Amino acid sequence: MSNPPPDPFVGGRPLPVPDLHDVISSARVVSIPMRVKFRGVLEREALLVEGPVGWGEFCPFLEYDDVESAPWLACALEAAWHGFPAPVRTSIPVNATVPAVEPGRVEMVLTRFGRVGAVKIKVAERGQSLADDVARVAEVRRLLPDAGIKLDANGGWSTDEALAAVDAMARFDLQYVEQPVADIPGLRTVRLEVQRRGYGVLVAADESVRRQEDPLLVAREDAADLLVIKAPPLGGVRRALEIIAQAGLPAVVSSALDTSVGIRAGVALAAALPELPYACGLATVSLMAGDVTQSSLMPDAGSLPVRDVAVSRTRLERFAAAPERTRWWLERLRRTHAVLSGVRMGS
């Protein structure tokens, strides 16, 4: 289900939507190759805009409609025109992310992240089996015997499949399983049954927050132990902070496979949270074979610094998308801006 466009009033104050001409005049579209396939993607496309205070990134996945894409644009405009809330920390602990690769490629993937204390592993990939997931998780545990392990199913299991998977992999000392099933009732069923069986594995909600008309429903339904939060689909850092505060659950900040410009928004969100009990999923630039800056937000000893990103004009040219893809993204920007402006004007 698509989110409604974000309420442009944050904390009772409006965040004005800049004029389309001002937004589109600085827009640049890039296509960044991936080192490994992630979420079915081998080339990650993104539209970047430059405003008075910096750069913002607009990169909703291609299948998202204009209404669901509007919060992503709000996040980009917040970054470029309004900036971020004040941080309460100077560095962010991050996890490595292992896509649904075969065990023999796990070590190669982990090498890109350097030394980390936690790993998120993609599971429930279409066309793969539970045995494939077990083998991948077992290899991560073999290579990193002391790391915190998180599983991310992206809602790919049924309730029975999720419970069977936790049963098969709880022995690897999992921190939590993220979005094991697609719907909130199923999420609650899995959470309660995992508790009953005494596995000590937490259940996290991701899509059940960012792809719901009511992002707080999962908390009211007692369907998750913690939330995985991405700033773009919630409409920006300030709105995400409000949702986390209202939900009253621990939060892990994650990314949507962004360049360093998009990761900067996630870093700002994690830096502004009062508490940050788990490593965040903000090291995914390591999965890319390029970036829009010469100083990428990459982990150092398991952490990212809280700092701004200087975009390289040379990199923008190097990774410029093909003309037809640039036209596609600019038209998407026009349509999405109209959706967002309509909300701001109350139409």
Side-chain angles (χ1 to χ4, degrees):
M1 182 182 297
S2 295
N3 277 333
D7 182 349
F9 289 86
V10 178
R13 300 187 305 274
L15 285 181
V17 178
D19 183 78
L20 175 61
H21 177 268
D22 294 335
V23 176
I24 211 165
S25 63
S26 68
R28 303 292 295 269
V29 181
V30 295
S31 180
I32 309 292
M34 301 295 299
R35 296 184 183 278
V36 292
K37 183 181 288 188
F38 188 89
R39 204 181 182 273
V41 172
L42 286 172
E43 294 274 339
R44 181 60 164 141
E45 294 179 340
L47 184 150
L48 297 121
V49 294
E50 186 179 17
V53 300
W55 287 84
E57 182 165 334
F58 175 60
C59 61
F61 292 109
L62 302 184
E63 68 269 21
Y64 289 7
D65 63 24
D66 298 339
V67 172
E68 190 168 7
S69 298
W72 298 66
L73 181 57
C75 184
L77 299 180
E78 177 190 45
W81 265 262
H82 304 288
F84 300 119
V88 299
R89 55 184 59 84
T90 59
S91 66
I92 308 300
V94 293
N95 57 246
T97 300
V98 175
V101 297
E102 59 271 20
R105 300 186 68 194
V106 166
E107 187 169 11
M108 178 272 294
V109 171
L110 289 174
T111 299
R112 294 290 308 169
F113 292 89
R115 180 165 56 87
V116 293
V119 182
K120 181 162 80 170
I121 306 168
K122 292 292 184 177
V123 293
E125 182 85 354
R126 185 173 299 178
Q128 294 188 2
S129 67
L130 177 56
D132 295 321
D133 292 337
V134 172
R136 186 179 312 113
V137 175
E139 180 64 3
V140 171
R141 178 53 78 209
R142 184 186 73 81
L143 293 167
L144 297 174
D146 299 320
I149 289 183
K150 317 165 181 182
L151 307 184
D152 185 5
N154 290 115
W157 286 320
S158 68
T159 299
D160 288 343
E161 289 170 337
L163 292 171
V166 175
D167 185 58
M169 290 184 277
R171 60 191 170 94
F172 297 117
D173 190 22
L174 309 178
Q175 286 187 335
Y176 62 78
V177 55
E178 179 179 332
Q179 201 68 45
V181 297
D183 65 319
I184 290 175
L187 203 63
R188 186 174 189 274
T189 297
V190 171
R191 175 177 177 266
L192 294 177
E193 182 60 20
V194 167
Q195 283 184 344
R196 190 190 70 78
R197 296 184 186 184
Y199 289 132
V201 179
L202 303 179
V203 172
D206 177 10
E207 286 87 348
S208 288
V209 177
R210 63 182 170 89
R211 302 198 73 177
Q212 290 289 321
E213 290 185 2
D214 180 359
L216 294 172
L217 181 61
V218 68
R220 286 201 304 273
E221 293 294 321
D222 202 25
D225 299 294
L226 63 149
L227 306 179
V228 177
I229 298 292
K230 298 176 175 67
L234 293 179
V237 173
R238 289 169 177 82
R239 186 166 184 265
L241 285 170
E242 289 190 351
I243 289 169
I244 293 167
Q246 292 173 35
L249 291 173
V252 179
V253 180
S254 188
S255 72
L257 199 59
D258 311 319
T259 74
S260 286
V261 170
I263 293 295
R264 176 66 180 98
V267 167
L269 173 56
L273 282 172
E275 298 180 1
L276 202 61
Y278 298 97
C280 294
L282 295 171
T284 49
V285 173
S286 300
L287 298 173
M288 293 177 161
D291 199 3
V292 297
T293 177
Q294 293 180 347
S295 183
S296 296
L297 279 172
M298 300 275 278
D300 180 17
S303 295
L304 289 180
V306 179
R307 64 168 174 83
D308 290 331
V309 172
V311 171
S312 163
R313 305 285 175 176
T314 301
R315 296 290 185 96
L316 290 176
E317 293 293 337
R318 177 181 175 185
F319 295 110
E324 63 273 15
R325 296 305 301 161
T326 296
R327 288 192 293 270
W328 186 91
W329 275 95
L330 291 176
E331 181 56 35
R332 189 185 202 189
L333 174 61
R334 292 185 183 95
R335 296 193 314 268
T336 307
H337 185 276
V339 172
L340 195 60
S341 298
V343 174
R344 174 65 181 88
M345 296 162 53
S347 62

